[in-house]
Amino acid sequence: MLKFYRNLSKTKKIVFLIVTILLSIPVGAFTGFMIGLIATTFIPICANGDSFHNCFEFKGMVGYEATGTIGFWAGLVLIPAAYISLIIYLEIKK
């Protein structure tokens, strides 16, 4: 990909970066959501009267809803930030 990127003209580079950064936002959100759902496996279970449920709570949500929401928002921010950092690193390295 690095050779492909370096061979592009300046306007094509700008378009490529805008499109890939915009695409990294939903990809990051989906990835974070899935990681959040998987993270429920590692949270202890609490006994509540006659049933058991996940102990994790966040803004009124319990269990997989809470971890999925946190993962969604974390992925929505962190994946595009990591991608932009990678682009900046490759430009500085060049």
Side-chain angles (χ1 to χ4, degrees), residues 62-73:
V62 179
Y64 69 89
E65 296 170 336
T67 57
T69 302
I70 291 173
F72 173 82
W73 290 108

Side-chain angles (χ1 to χ4, degrees), residues 10-53:
K10 187 168 184 120
T11 56
K12 288 183 180 179
K13 278 184 185 180
I14 293 171
V15 170
F16 176 76
L17 291 176
I18 290 172
V19 168
T20 55
I21 289 171
L22 289 176
L23 286 176
S24 72
I25 294 170
V27 169
F30 179 75
T31 305
F33 178 71
M34 293 308 290
I35 290 172
L37 290 179
I38 293 169
T40 347
T41 310
F42 305 106
I43 298 171
I45 293 179
C46 296
N48 184 13
D50 54 275
S51 66
F52 295 94
H53 64 84

Side-chain angles (χ1 to χ4, degrees), residues 1 4 7 15 20 29 42 46 53 72 83-85 89:
M1 183 182 136
F4 168 76
N7 291 334
V15 170
T20 55
F42 305 106
C46 296
H53 64 84
F72 173 82
Y83 181 65
I84 291 169
S85 299
Y89 170 74

